[in-house]
Amino acid sequence: MNKQLRVLFIGTYIPKECGIATFTSDLLNSVSGENNDVHCEVIALSDPSETYNYPEEVVFQIQRDKLEDYYLAADFINQSDADLVCLQHEFGLFGGNAGDYIFALLSGINKPVITTMHTMIREPEPEYRTSTEQLIKYSEKLVVMSQAAVEMLKDVYKAPENKIEIIFHGVPDYPFNNCSKYKKMLNLKGSPLVLTFGLLSQNKGIESVLEALPEVISQYPDLVYLVLGATHPMVKKTQGEVYRHYLEDKVSELGLENNVVFHDKFVEKEELCNYILASDIYVSPYLSREQIVSGALTYAMGMGKAIVSTPYWYAQEMLSDNRGLLVDFGDTDGFKNSLLYLIENPDECNGMRKKAYDFGRKMTWKNVGKEYNTVFIKALKNYNTYPGIHNRFNFLPNQLPEVKLDHLELLTDDVGIIQHTDLGVPARRYGYSTDDVGRALVALTQLIDSPKKAEEFRKSITTYMSFLEHAQTDTGHFHNFMNYKREFLDKKGSEDTLGRAIYGLGHVVSCSYLSKNIRTLANTLLSKSRQEMENLGSPRAKAYAICGLYEMLTTGVDTDEFESVFNSRRDFVKSIDTLVDRDKFESIFISHADSLVDLYEANHKEDWNWFEPTVTYSNAKLSESLLLAYNYTKNRTYREIGLATLDFLTEIQLNGDFFDTVGNQGWYSYNGEKPLFDQQPIEAGYLTQAYVSAYENVRDRKYIQLAKYSFEYFLGRNRLRTAMYDYSTGAVCDGLSSDGMNCNQGAEPVICFLMALNSLKEHTNEAFGTILQSRVSDGISDEALEKQKNLLSVQVE
């Protein structure tokens, strides 16, 4: 390697009291090497109730059951200078079903992963099989600690053989010696001293040893059985000290009070090693056969102890060739006979100890560290790095989806649009909203490019217009919510509701393929709402109004056309005063644009180019409205602020290669932390529209590329890498939450998807042609191409 290798470990870590925490620490120290030729850092897992003073190598923490932390950790890893990740895996370390929260992290990173598997199940339940298969998929290399684990990975889980590496559990390197020195050091008695150590839980099987002791002690009354270790924290949390009390009662029942000692404490590594070195015999009475590795057994072997163990998988392999004695699970007589054999045959016992010690030399941490480094380098050489953004999302289509209106039509009845669904089935209890109807008019009118299309959508547009006409109040505002009994539930909707209605009505007025009657009605409703429109205070309501008025003002409305309709419908309108008054609407249009400029000037800072102190919802619509205001007025201030705020939204939401839109769990305030969830698809839809407007404004190709990326949010270019859009029905899921995809498919997401699709389809060639191809045809220089890459903050091909 020409540079220092940088490794990021993921696992529990000291000072947490658990075996994997100790293992991770030992492995890190062994990998870093005597000359510090490998730089190591740690992402530590903890429980919410735990607070640790971690050493400086811990650079990030994950709360076990907090899914958001796994996503944030993935972001941290991608932005770090780590070359690779070394994951310590045991199902119980991670939250979720069978520890599946870890895949939120693994699926989102662009570094090779080397996984050390501390647990494996030969006959797994479905969720554990799935979790293991996912782990194999995301790992460049799988490190196991026994040949039995290798065979199980291949036979049970069909793991590719070239992914599997066997590296033994590490042990400290101590000389082969007798026990008396360490007994004196620790003031321990026992001739012999029999030891079992590790965090206490019911699977330890210690009662089997206790029941074997009376006959052994009757012959060797100086024998002491030391049970060393605190109760496992998770066991203590859920069951308390039930097992320890059971063992203590068993000792009293068997009259072993003078021969059995419990040391209820977690000992650090150096002290633990002294206890092991002080013992004569190590006993490993585990009750579960499916134990693929045991650090305690490994330490006992590496320090040359005489060992008696049950035949779990790891013990069978490690103690073969007469390196220890095996006793069947729960076999009291077997433990008794094995202990007596070792005590009464010192030469055979010492020979067994020497074989275990000699085998342990290949397991010293120094050798283990070298082997891991070899695997790291091998993984880096073989790793298929992601040279471009497209490779991480290679499931995305190379063209836009066809327009599919099935789901919108399913939600539309003879009244309006049902707001929400239960798993795609319209949920009538939620009723209707003006918000959805106004934006649906935008989506449909954008699709009308011929009289045939106008006729195709005539029924739906007529229904929507009928809803808005009924929803408009005497003052010109609009009710928003109507229940399924056709009763409005509010005196009037929010200002945003008024803005969204104007947004839709403006598009109807501007659609020349629609009938004169429909367009005249739209104009009438707009005119009636003019006074309410003038008094808007909400920035988003103003933005919606600007977008709707822009359509009306740039259409070149024929007032004679409307007048002829009005004259024939005196029963419908009271006077000719409701005709389009371009000057008054233009005044409102400019006034609202100016107020957004004032809002920006009052709130933006050097590192905060936004209209408000908080980024909330429907954000890109604010930027888009100023870009449209520039189109109409040619006021450069509008364009300057529109682009600056849109670029700011890109900066805070484009997460390397996908859009991480601001979630509504608290929004994103200046100097605050951006929430990841709940993300709403409306934000991606509005971003797409705004980027298309920016591209049409300044013809900078980066905006059409960004429009493509934001639109692909619906198709899977998102944090969960999951498609929200259903190609078969045209439905769109409601959002991304910390629990995954919200699979309800309401009106808002499908309407915003259609608006985004409509705006982008006019620029299909620009969006789906690569920047490199465009450079050739347009003569863009290498320097300019590199600048575009930087602006996108991603590597594009």
Side-chain angles (χ1 to χ4, degrees):
M1 302 291 291
N2 295 324
K3 67 180 184 66
Q4 187 183 47
L5 182 66
R6 306 183 75 86
V7 181
L8 188 55
F9 288 88
I10 301 176
T12 51
Y13 201 68
I14 59 172
K16 183 179 175 68
E17 296 178 355
C18 85
I20 291 182
T22 303
F23 180 93
T24 307
S25 174
D26 288 336
L27 179 57
L28 180 148
N29 290 325
S30 69
V31 161
S32 60
E34 295 179 2
N35 299 320
N36 294 320
D37 49 354
V38 180
H39 179 76
C40 299
E41 293 178 326
V42 179
I43 292 179
L45 286 133
S46 59
D47 293 318
S49 59
E50 300 172 339
T51 302
Y52 295 113
N53 183 20
Y54 283 116
E56 63 181 2
E57 61 266 24
V58 174
V59 292
F60 196 93
Q61 296 181 46
I62 295 174
Q63 286 192 26
R64 175 186 178 277
D65 295 315
K66 189 175 180 183
L67 180 59
E68 186 170 341
D69 280 5
Y70 293 84
Y71 288 113
L72 291 171
D75 296 341
F76 177 85
I77 293 168
N78 288 334
Q79 294 165 19
S80 75
D81 56 2
D83 296 302
L84 53 88
V85 171
C86 185
L87 171 71
Q88 306 308 304
H89 184 271
E90 186 174 72
F91 297 105
L93 291 187
F94 313 106
N97 190 17
D100 64 359
Y101 279 10
I102 189 59
F103 302 117
L105 184 156
L106 296 181
S107 66
I109 63 175
N110 54 12
K111 316 269 185 179
V113 177
I114 292 81
T115 299
T116 303
M117 301 187 70
H118 292 264
T119 305
M120 208 175 304
I121 306 172
R122 187 182 292 277
E123 297 178 358
E125 294 295 324
E127 64 269 28
Y128 287 94
R129 174 178 289 278
T130 298
S131 193
T132 304
E133 289 172 347
Q134 285 284 87
L135 192 65
I136 293 168
K137 169 187 171 184
Y138 286 118
S139 301
E140 188 73 18
K141 290 288 183 181
L142 301 160
V143 176
V144 293
M145 304 183 203
S146 65
Q147 189 59 40
V150 173
E151 300 307 319
M152 200 183 307
L153 271 176
K154 293 193 295 185
D155 296 342
V156 178
Y157 299 100
K158 310 304 178 187
E161 188 168 2
N162 63 355
K163 276 195 173 188
I164 306 170
E165 303 282 348
I166 181 168
I167 304 176
F168 292 116
H169 191 298
V171 296
D173 193 2
Y174 282 89
F176 188 77
N177 54 52
N178 59 37
C179 312
S180 57
K181 168 186 173 183
Y182 293 93
K183 285 183 183 178
K184 290 179 182 178
M185 180 189 303
L186 297 171
N187 194 27
L188 293 174
K189 297 179 180 180
S191 181
L193 177 63
V194 181
L195 175 67
T196 293
F197 69 89
L199 294 173
L200 203 61
S201 62
Q202 287 183 324
N203 72 333
K204 293 293 185 183
I206 292 168
E207 60 273 19
S208 301
V209 182
L210 295 178
E211 290 169 356
L213 288 181
E215 291 189 49
V216 179
I217 290 170
S218 67
Q219 300 179 52
Y220 300 95
D222 291 333
L223 180 147
V224 172
Y225 180 38
L226 173 60
V227 179
L228 173 65
T231 300
H232 193 290
M234 294 304 294
V235 173
K236 191 171 184 177
K237 185 176 182 179
T238 57
Q239 302 174 24
E241 295 287 6
V242 172
Y243 183 57
R244 184 178 297 278
H245 295 328
Y246 163 74
L247 294 177
E248 291 170 344
D249 291 343
K250 176 77 70 175
V251 168
S252 298
E253 177 187 325
L254 296 171
L256 300 174
E257 292 92 337
N258 295 326
N259 301 91
V260 177
V261 178
F262 292 96
H263 279 192
D264 180 8
K265 63 177 181 177
F266 181 88
V267 293
E268 300 297 337
K269 185 177 67 174
E270 184 176 352
E271 186 181 3
L272 172 62
C273 291
N274 289 338
Y275 273 102
I276 299 171
L277 292 166
S279 65
D280 297 286
I281 301 171
Y282 169 71
V283 181
S284 180
Y286 290 159
L287 297 177
S288 173
R289 185 177 299 277
E290 292 191 347
Q291 181 95 10
I292 207 65
V293 66
S294 167
L297 181 67
T298 308
Y299 270 46
M301 288 185 65
M303 296 184 198
K305 298 292 104 177
I307 298 171
V308 181
S309 175
T310 51
Y312 51 91
W313 294 327
Y314 187 69
Q316 286 185 60
E317 186 173 326
M318 292 295 106
L319 300 182
S320 61
D321 297 332
N322 202 32
R323 293 190 287 265
L325 298 177
L326 294 176
V327 175
D328 203 5
F329 300 100
D331 183 0
T332 299
D333 287 340
F335 279 111
K336 177 193 71 176
N337 295 332
S338 296
L339 290 172
L340 287 172
Y341 174 81
L342 293 173
I343 296 168
E344 295 171 352
N345 297 277
D347 291 341
E348 286 84 349
C349 180
N350 282 334
M352 198 177 293
R353 287 181 58 204
K354 191 66 168 65
K355 284 187 176 182
Y357 181 81
D358 290 344
F359 186 82
R361 294 315 87 211
K362 65 179 71 175
M363 298 190 292
T364 61
W365 278 116
K366 183 176 181 180
N367 289 330
V368 166
K370 289 178 180 178
E371 291 186 57
Y372 266 92
N373 282 336
T374 299
V375 171
F376 292 162
I377 294 170
K378 187 189 303 183
L380 277 173
K381 286 181 178 178
N382 296 335
Y383 181 61
N384 179 24
T385 55
Y386 301 114
I389 183 172
H390 60 287
N391 281 341
R392 292 196 64 209
F393 296 90
N394 55 14
F395 53 82
L396 293 171
N398 57 9
Q399 60 185 12
L400 289 172
E402 294 295 322
V403 174
K404 194 170 186 65
L405 300 177
D406 296 27
H407 191 65
L408 183 61
E409 292 171 356
L410 181 70
L411 295 173
T412 301
D413 60 14
D414 61 349
V415 174
I417 306 172
I418 301 291
Q419 284 192 81
H420 302 296
T421 73
D422 291 326
L423 299 176
V425 178
R428 296 177 178 180
R429 66 185 180 278
Y430 292 112
Y432 316 87
S433 84
T434 294
D435 290 340
D436 293 333
V437 169
R439 287 178 293 198
L441 284 170
V442 176
L444 287 189
T445 53
Q446 285 177 329
L447 289 169
I448 297 175
D449 56 5
S450 66
K452 182 180 179 180
K453 280 289 184 183
E455 181 58 27
E456 180 182 340
F457 300 143
R458 181 177 62 83
K459 181 178 179 181
S460 294
I461 289 177
T462 300
T463 298
Y464 300 159
M465 286 299 300
S466 176
F467 184 94
L468 290 186
E469 189 275 332
H470 184 48
Q472 191 166 40
T473 68
D474 292 340
T475 67
H477 210 297
F478 290 85
H479 296 288
N480 191 12
F481 298 113
M482 174 190 280
N483 66 20
Y484 197 68
K485 296 178 182 179
R486 304 188 182 187
E487 300 167 335
F488 285 113
L489 302 177
D490 50 25
K491 291 183 178 180
K492 67 177 182 179
S494 67
E495 289 192 346
D496 286 4
T497 295
L498 175 61
R500 289 168 184 137
I502 295 166
Y503 188 27
L505 293 170
H507 275 77
V508 172
V509 169
S510 70
C511 185
S512 60
Y513 292 109
L514 290 175
S515 70
K516 293 178 180 178
N517 287 342
I518 286 289
R519 295 172 66 213
T520 299
L521 176 59
N523 175 69
T524 303
L525 300 183
L526 278 172
S527 296
K528 187 176 178 181
S529 68
R530 190 175 64 209
Q531 186 171 349
E532 292 280 2
M533 206 185 305
E534 289 175 344
N535 296 324
L536 286 174
S538 161
R540 282 155 189 80
K542 293 176 181 180
Y544 282 120
I546 290 169
C547 293
L549 292 176
Y550 173 78
E551 294 297 320
M552 186 183 75
L553 292 171
T554 56
T555 301
V557 175
D558 184 351
T559 54
D560 291 338
E561 171 189 320
F562 287 117
E563 185 174 1
S564 65
V565 176
F566 280 128
N567 287 334
S568 65
R569 291 293 309 278
R570 289 292 179 179
D571 58 323
F572 181 73
V573 292
K574 294 181 180 179
S575 75
I576 204 69
D577 292 338
T578 56
L579 284 177
V580 173
D581 187 331
R582 297 183 64 85
D583 291 340
K584 291 181 179 179
F585 280 117
E586 184 177 285
S587 175
I588 295 171
F589 179 86
I590 294 173
S591 173
H592 287 344
D594 287 342
S595 71
L596 291 182
V597 170
D598 292 341
L599 200 62
Y600 174 80
E601 294 296 345
N603 287 284
H604 86 95
K605 300 176 177 59
E606 183 178 353
D607 55 348
W608 187 261
N609 283 328
W610 193 239
F611 301 94
E612 299 167 301
T614 302
V615 177
T616 57
Y617 64 94
S618 305
N619 299 303
K621 196 57 67 181
L622 297 171
S623 303
E624 182 193 3
S625 68
L626 286 184
L627 294 173
L628 296 180
Y630 166 77
N631 288 347
Y632 185 72
T633 66
K634 302 307 177 185
N635 182 333
R636 293 187 178 184
T637 300
Y638 297 157
R639 182 173 68 178
E640 178 183 333
I641 295 174
L643 293 175
T645 53
L646 185 57
D647 289 343
F648 173 71
L649 290 178
T650 307
E651 177 187 337
I652 65 171
Q653 295 182 116
L654 182 59
N655 186 1
D657 50 10
F658 64 90
F659 274 92
D660 225 355
T661 59
V662 172
N664 68 11
Q665 293 182 351
W667 307 120
Y668 179 34
S669 298
Y670 179 67
N671 283 337
E673 184 175 339
K674 188 182 81 172
L676 293 183
F677 301 107
D678 291 317
Q679 295 185 19
Q680 303 298 306
I682 184 175
E683 301 305 324
Y686 284 176
L687 275 171
T688 304
Q689 290 180 283
Y691 286 133
V692 169
S693 292
Y695 174 70
E696 292 173 345
N697 238 297
V698 295
R699 292 293 163 178
D700 188 334
R701 194 175 297 277
K702 78 166 183 176
Y703 288 117
I704 208 64
Q705 283 293 115
L706 288 166
K708 174 177 179 283
Y709 297 158
S710 59
F711 178 76
E712 287 177 339
Y713 180 96
F714 294 101
L715 310 181
R717 191 188 289 277
N718 54 50
R719 175 163 288 281
L720 299 186
R721 299 180 68 178
T722 303
M724 307 177 76
Y725 177 67
D726 186 336
Y727 284 84
S728 63
T729 66
V732 180
C733 290
D734 280 354
L736 307 183
S737 72
S738 58
D739 297 325
M741 191 74 71
N742 183 338
C743 292
N744 291 319
Q745 299 166 326
E748 181 179 273
V750 67
I751 291 168
C752 292
F753 172 86
L754 288 170
M755 290 194 293
L757 176 60
N758 294 339
S759 64
L760 189 57
K761 69 184 179 68
E762 298 179 12
H763 302 283
T764 302
N765 291 337
E766 294 98 320
F768 285 88
T770 66
I771 286 183
L772 183 61
Q773 291 169 335
S774 300
R775 181 188 65 175
V776 172
S777 60
D778 296 345
I780 300 175
S781 67
D782 290 337
E783 182 180 353
L785 178 64
E786 189 61 34
K787 182 179 179 181
Q788 287 179 345
K789 289 181 181 179
N790 292 335
L791 285 168
L792 293 176
S793 301
V794 293
Q795 185 178 4
V796 292
E797 187 177 48

